[in-house]
Amino acid sequence: MLAGLFQYLDKDKKMPQVIIYTNSNGGVSVCHPTGELPIDQVLTKDCPPGAIIVDDSELPQGEDAKYFDAWELVDGKVKINLDKKNAIILQQQTTENAKQSALSKLAALGLTPAEITAITGA
Amino acid sequence: MSILNATTTSGVVLTGDTTGNLTIQSAGTNVATFTSGGLTYADATTQSSASGVAKAWGKNNGGASGIVSSYNVSSITYNSTGNYTVAFTNAFSDANYAVMSGAFVSSASLALRINSQSTTGFTCETLSNTSSDNNAGWAFSVFR
């Protein structure tokens, strides 16, 4: 009942909107209007032909939001490209493994943690 | 609102009231207003021709989370991790403006690089040796 009341009270409240389009890299660009100009004007002034206005809530949320570089615009909806997502995860793991390997090698040389931090900043 | 108007026929004309605010006019057109809160230019076009003041500024949360506040900015577009396009509401006459910027992150190794400038906006990129910081919040101001 309370949910219905809040829904009634919020019926005139507009959802935040953004403009999305496929960029030159094949990914999705998300254009946030500041409100200085109407969103329709931003659409024509700041975005390429084919860009569309969507509610901010339609964009991937939660865990999927972390993999922005894997977003793709398909039939007006943002989807996660699983191949790109897996490539991002693999790259992150590779980078982390390389970092841990380098730190281990520095430790094996007898450097103290403080000395390693002084060199790497990590 | 008291008005101090530099006219082309009668010189300076003062129209007074008791609001405590003072508007400066040039030939009947508002240029700027002084209130207890400070100086406000009549519009972005007027401010863009003034010297010594920021012609645009903005603060962004980073990533796809959007803009916190801004002036003379119509949009900020998130293109890929750490990569943004800023569009001005009112374009400049040329691209010879200076962008001052910084990022909000505890890491000392994060920088905001300006990749390109045009009359209508600029592109920039947050760079860090820690990938988790690449979507840090950032802010900028533009002077010309």
Side-chain angles (χ1 to χ4, degrees), chain B residues 11-142:
Chain B
V12 174
V13 175
L14 176 64
T15 305
D17 67 13
T18 59
T19 60
N21 299 332
L22 174 62
T23 290
I24 308 296
Q25 291 185 341
S26 173
T29 301
N30 286 2
V31 175
T33 297
F34 292 90
T35 69
S36 59
L39 169 67
T40 304
Y41 287 89
D43 51 42
T45 303
T46 305
Q47 183 164 339
S48 70
S49 63
S51 60
V53 297
K55 303 305 190 306
W57 56 264
K59 182 181 180 184
N60 190 298
N61 276 333
S65 52
I67 302 154
V68 178
S69 55
S70 65
Y71 172 76
N72 195 26
V73 175
S74 58
S75 69
I76 297 179
T77 299
Y78 182 47
N79 299 302
S80 63
T81 298
N83 192 300
Y84 303 87
T85 301
V86 175
F88 299 131
T89 301
N90 296 285
F92 288 82
S93 56
D94 59 47
N96 296 325
Y97 51 83
V99 181
M100 314 297 167
S101 60
F104 308 111
V105 67
S106 56
S107 167
S109 56
L110 187 108
L112 190 81
R113 181 176 69 192
I114 307 302
N115 287 331
S116 67
Q117 293 184 214
S118 71
T119 56
T120 57
F122 62 90
T123 62
C124 62
E125 189 173 2
T126 52
L127 300 167
S128 171
N129 63 345
T130 307
S131 59
S132 60
D133 289 337
N134 277 339
N135 274 328
W138 52 283
F140 67 91
S141 57
V142 178

